[in-house]
Amino acid sequence: MKKPAIFLFWLLVWQAASIFVKNSLLLVGPADTLFALAGLAVSRPFWSAVGFSVFRIGLGVCLAFAAGLLTGSLAFVRPFAGALLALPVRLMKSIPVASFVILALIWTGSKNLSVFISFVVVYPIIHVTTESGLAGADKKLLEMAQVFRIPAWKRALCLYRPALGPYLSSACKTALGMGFKSGIAAEVIGVPAGSIGEGLYMAKIYLSTAELFAWTLTIILVSAAFEKVFLLILKECMRER
């Protein structure tokens, strides 16, 4: 009962704040937000926008995960490759997302902007985590595997995979949320037609705070659902058999 009670508490705080402000342009309550969301949800363009954004951001995240897993493993196995990759990874972590958005608008256009941005944000996290997770494998078990001449693919599946699992699960909880936030932020700047970012931008243009909150709630829900599904798949892949 603790979680529903906490959720209800913050809903009441939100409602009390909206009553205190007394200005729907600045802050709307949860009831107005749900009413606006219900109005959006009955329209086909709403679901089209959700599908557009979720597909592209999800694609960028999945590509970043695969690339980070590959290059992180390569950096662990071949330290020289890790040294070569260290600079671009550090640049991806340091350069502001706004700079990447402007470059991506020039390179890819607005339609696939969120794919590129979510990739750039998620990739360095997965790369660094993979390298660290593989380095944390049990040294004694690895020595035993070497003594008994266990093949490299068996060591990867039976020793490195279980060691890497907790690192990746923890990193994904942060990386997936950041990927969605940065992808939507990129859409707000680039305003690709038929996206969630366009919906947010239009709500701002028309000063529709209720719709702005409704789109924001939509982003939270789809991001949480994507994260849960992704982590379930990851957990199944990393599960010891």
Side-chain angles (χ1 to χ4, degrees):
M1 293 296 293
K2 195 176 288 186
K3 286 185 178 179
I6 292 172
F7 181 72
L8 180 60
F9 169 78
W10 286 112
L11 277 181
L12 292 173
V13 170
W14 179 9
Q15 182 63 38
S18 67
I19 293 171
F20 177 78
V21 171
K22 293 181 181 178
N23 189 335
S24 60
L25 189 62
L26 296 177
L27 182 65
V28 295
D32 292 328
T33 300
L34 290 175
F35 184 76
L37 180 58
L40 289 171
V42 297
S43 65
R44 189 174 178 180
F46 170 81
W47 294 107
S48 177
V50 171
F52 179 97
S53 297
V54 171
F55 173 75
R56 281 163 175 75
I57 295 173
L59 178 61
V61 168
C62 291
L63 289 174
F65 183 84
L69 198 61
L70 178 64
T71 58
S73 302
L74 180 63
F76 172 73
V77 175
R78 295 284 183 267
F80 179 71
L84 285 177
L85 290 168
L87 180 60
V89 168
R90 188 172 299 173
L91 287 174
M92 287 185 189
K93 290 168 64 179
S94 304
I95 295 176
V97 173
S99 300
F100 278 122
V101 170
I102 294 168
L103 287 172
L105 281 170
I106 298 171
W107 295 341
T108 66
S110 63
K111 187 176 181 180
N112 296 311
L113 180 62
S114 53
V115 178
F116 179 79
I117 297 301
S118 56
F119 178 92
V120 166
V121 170
V122 174
Y123 167 75
I125 300 173
I126 302 301
H127 172 89
V128 173
T129 300
T130 300
E131 191 175 359
S132 302
L134 292 174
D138 193 316
K139 299 295 187 294
K140 291 182 180 179
L141 288 176
L142 291 172
E143 288 174 6
M144 183 187 71
Q146 191 170 9
V147 169
F148 286 99
R149 297 181 181 179
I150 294 175
W153 67 270
K154 279 191 177 181
R155 274 180 275 176
L157 285 176
C158 301
L159 299 179
Y160 285 113
R161 186 183 62 172
L164 182 59
Y167 284 84
L168 281 179
S169 295
S170 178
C172 284
K173 288 177 183 177
T174 302
L176 297 180
M178 290 178 62
F180 260 86
K181 286 194 292 186
S182 59
I184 296 297
E187 288 184 349
V188 173
I189 296 173
V191 198
S195 66
I196 291 177
E198 184 190 31
L200 284 167
Y201 183 79
M202 297 308 293
K204 185 204 77 167
I205 291 293
Y206 291 108
L207 300 176
S208 178
T209 308
E211 281 197 13
L212 182 63
F213 274 62
W215 279 112
T216 304
L217 181 59
T218 302
I219 295 164
I220 293 169
L221 293 174
V222 296
S223 175
F226 181 85
E227 179 181 323
K228 189 171 285 290
V229 171
F230 193 95
L231 289 175
L232 281 173
I233 295 171
L234 178 63
K235 185 179 179 181
E236 182 62 24
C237 292
M238 292 296 176
R239 183 168 63 89
E240 293 185 52
R241 302 182 186 280

